[in-house]
Amino acid sequence: MSSIQIPRGTQDILPGESEKWQWVEQIAKDICSAYQYKEIRTPIFEHTELFQRGVGDSTDIVQKEMYTFKDRGDRSITLRPEGTASVVRSFVSHKMHGLPDQPVKLYYLGPMFRYERPQAGRFRQFVQFGVEALGSDDPAIDAEVISLAMNIYKKAGLKNIKLVINSLGDPESRTAYREALVNHFKDGIHEFCTDCQNRLEKNPLRILDCKKDRDHSLMKSAPSILDFLNENSSNYFRMVQNYLTQLDIPFEVDPNLVRGLDYYNHTAFEIMSNAEGFGAITTLCGGGRYNGLVEDLGGPETSGIGFAFSIERLLAAIEAEGLDIEFTKPLDCYFIVLGEKAKEKVVKVLQDIRLNGISAEMDYLNRKMKAQMKAANRLQAKQVVIVGDEELDRGVAVLKNMESGEQKEVEWNKLFDEIKSVM
Ligand code: HAM
């Protein structure tokens, strides 16, 4: 029979690789714990309407990239393409605005699904780590969220990263800017791609983000959002920058940074990799403020800010920077078992010491001593216990320290302490 292939844009994470995932995920979780962000888990599928309303009907994600299907009850269901809409839905359904501790600070980790053209750093199933802080419009929380992302990357060892920020302003500033953009582009829009022609009325900001038309002269002469920010918006943006400076986080302001989702206002940011050989897609992380989203999804007026990044791109950046990280842990102890009687004894001892937090392994293939020793070496065992019938009869086992090569006989009742003393 022919074998079955993995779907395009997905991948298996095998042992050897999965340790890397666990390592970076743990860094992100530890930092969230220090910053007091608590984990939330939401379903992998939601009603399609959530993303139409939450992410925005005119976005590429909703128009072209969603995995949407009818379930057996004829409901339109979508595999989540991102996490923010689900978190906000959950915030509203559980009335989290009423919790005593505000802002509500959440993080999530899980697979997201987008029907995109697969390439390096772009998958159809990818794992996002994200945070959302809901219930505060203090610019200091914007800086906290941005610094949290930056510190995850720093803790993972990345050096070649760049933070880019922008302000998309409040609705008043956005409306003024939108109008200016439509006026700027409308006479030449027929020279742009069909996507941009559609964007002119629906979402002109997205034209600035178009990869196909990026060299068009109208792009370079386009008005800047920063000239359209009203006083409130520009003060807000200035304060975010002040706080970032206080936190010693360098940044660049890019007025063309518009982000691909509709819910943003005020602060928008991306973290890019500058590492050589990272590939065409350099964005590691994206986020921003979304003050109207809770209301759009049926909740009370609540401000929010967050970000998400994929583990795939973080690991690609670690690889591109050539960081020397020890992902796999060596084995504490390998039992070389010679004979059936020895095995009977060892299965129980193995269980006891594993339950005491020591990683231990034994042979299950009845291999010869030499092959078992090779296995112990492959697993980088720190110690090896050799158990043969003759030693068993005398109530001892042979303990070998693999680093020093030193070998000695140890009584069974002292074995645990001996193993522990070397760890
Ligand atoms: P996004 O910019 O669509 O924003 O995605 C955030 C990050 O997810 C990207 O920077 C990238 O690391 C990763 N990502 C997106 N698509 C793919 C893909 N096809 N393959 C691999 N990685 C991918 C959001 O999703 C917003 N929900 C972020 C946010 C949270 N804004 C506020 N709160």
Side-chain angles (χ1 to χ4, degrees):
M1 260 201 278
S2 62
S3 62
I4 295 170
Q5 302 297 309
I6 195 170
R8 230 164 99 69
T10 68
Q11 55 177 350
D12 298 317
I13 314 298
L14 304 181
E17 212 36 46
S18 56
E19 288 84 356
K20 300 181 186 171
W21 287 67
Q22 291 173 349
W23 186 81
V24 294
E25 287 166 8
Q26 198 55 50
I27 288 177
K29 287 178 185 173
D30 288 346
I31 291 190
C32 279
S33 159
Y35 278 77
Q36 285 295 287
Y37 286 71
K38 309 276 166 66
E39 187 181 13
I40 179 166
R41 300 185 189 200
T42 61
I44 282 177
F45 60 84
E46 298 268 4
H47 293 297
T48 303
E49 192 193 349
L50 172 65
F51 304 112
Q52 288 168 336
R53 264 212 263 165
V55 175
D57 249 336
S58 69
T59 59
D60 280 359
I61 295 181
V62 171
Q63 295 227 319
K64 303 182 191 164
E65 297 171 1
M66 294 208 299
Y67 280 89
T68 297
F69 56 94
K70 285 276 171 78
D71 73 4
R72 286 166 197 273
D74 210 30
R75 301 171 196 92
S76 181
I77 294 291
T78 294
L79 301 184
R80 60 183 187 190
E82 60 104 50
T84 311
S86 303
V87 169
V88 170
R89 181 210 37 75
S90 177
F91 179 89
V92 172
S93 20
H94 296 281
K95 299 192 170 44
M96 290 188 219
H97 58 273
L99 291 175
D101 288 326
Q102 297 289 331
V104 176
K105 306 208 292 188
L106 304 165
Y107 81 81
Y108 49 90
L109 172 70
M112 308 290 162
F113 306 85
R114 296 184 193 177
Y115 192 80
E116 293 192 89
R117 196 168 51 79
Q119 63 183 92
R122 183 183 287 158
F123 298 85
R124 290 184 172 167
Q125 174 173 333
F126 55 97
V127 174
Q128 269 190 352
F129 189 94
V131 315
E132 313 293 348
L134 292 130
S136 165
D137 58 6
D138 184 335
I141 195 100
D142 299 45
E144 173 176 289
V145 163
I146 295 172
S147 67
L148 196 161
M150 288 295 280
N151 285 327
I152 292 174
Y153 288 122
K154 278 191 203 149
K155 200 85 194 209
L158 294 184
K159 301 227 157 44
N160 300 311
I161 51 171
K162 182 174 85 173
L163 169 65
V164 181
I165 61 171
N166 189 22
S167 171
L168 301 172
D170 62 6
E172 187 187 85
S173 316
R174 269 275 275 284
T175 309
Y177 182 53
R178 219 189 108 100
E179 220 175 284
L181 277 182
V182 173
N183 283 333
H184 175 78
F185 283 114
K186 70 173 190 269
D187 291 338
I189 196 70
H190 58 277
E191 292 166 19
F192 282 64
C193 68
T194 40
D195 278 343
C196 281
Q197 292 178 17
N198 293 331
R199 284 170 187 146
L200 185 69
E201 287 306 323
K202 282 192 192 144
N203 196 351
L205 267 77
R206 295 284 296 152
I207 297 177
L208 299 173
D209 207 25
C210 180
K211 302 281 175 293
K212 287 188 208 138
D213 296 315
R214 104 177 108 195
D215 295 325
H216 196 288
S217 61
L218 283 180
M219 286 290 212
K220 296 193 180 94
S221 57
S224 160
I225 176 98
L226 300 180
D227 296 328
F228 289 82
L229 296 182
N230 58 19
E231 202 184 334
N232 174 31
S233 302
S234 72
N235 279 343
Y236 195 93
F237 192 36
R238 197 173 35 76
M239 285 168 79
V240 173
Q241 296 180 54
N242 276 346
Y243 284 118
L244 288 174
T245 307
Q246 287 300 320
L247 291 167
D248 288 327
I249 297 181
F251 58 87
E252 265 174 35
V253 176
D254 177 359
N256 282 340
L257 179 84
V258 293
R259 308 271 307 124
L261 303 92
D262 274 356
Y263 45 63
Y264 293 115
N265 40 54
H266 290 289
T267 315
F269 68 98
E270 288 188 354
I271 300 171
M272 327 280 211
S273 169
N274 285 331
E276 244 175 78
F278 184 65
I281 302 176
T282 55
T283 306
L284 294 177
C285 172
R289 184 161 272 290
Y290 46 85
N291 288 352
L293 185 58
V294 177
E295 267 178 294
D296 287 347
L297 294 177
E301 194 184 328
T302 310
S303 34
I305 176 158
F307 70 77
F309 64 77
S310 65
I311 307 289
E312 287 84 350
R313 287 194 198 166
L314 169 50
L315 289 174
I318 289 177
E319 179 122 333
E321 290 202 15
L323 300 181
D324 189 16
I325 298 163
E326 197 49 72
F327 294 106
T328 43
K329 290 200 193 95
L331 180 70
D332 292 326
C333 184
Y334 189 92
F335 281 79
I336 292 186
V337 190
L338 303 166
E340 188 51 39
K341 241 166 67 188
K343 202 192 286 174
E344 263 175 32
K345 172 88 180 166
V346 166
V347 286
K348 175 72 170 79
V349 174
L350 198 66
Q351 168 172 274
D352 291 346
I353 74 167
R354 281 171 167 169
L355 293 180
N356 273 287
I358 295 175
S359 63
E361 188 55 290
M362 66 176 268
D363 173 74
Y364 289 107
L365 297 171
N366 297 320
R367 286 175 290 199
K368 298 250 161 51
M369 163 98 172
K370 209 168 146 195
Q372 292 194 39
M373 193 55 107
K374 265 195 185 161
N377 277 321
R378 263 198 312 277
L379 296 170
Q380 302 171 34
K382 290 187 229 158
Q383 300 175 82
V384 165
V385 181
I386 305 162
V387 191
D389 289 348
E390 191 260 335
E391 286 90 4
L392 205 60
D393 289 342
R394 288 194 291 118
V396 297
V398 176
L399 181 64
K400 182 172 180 184
N401 182 322
M402 297 294 272
E403 207 189 319
S404 64
E406 186 199 334
Q407 195 165 311
K408 63 180 173 192
E409 280 193 357
V410 179
E411 286 171 31
W412 278 106
N413 57 7
K414 303 221 174 80
L415 188 63
F416 177 75
D417 289 337
E418 283 284 343
I419 292 173
K420 213 136 188 222
S421 72
V422 177
M423 284 175 52

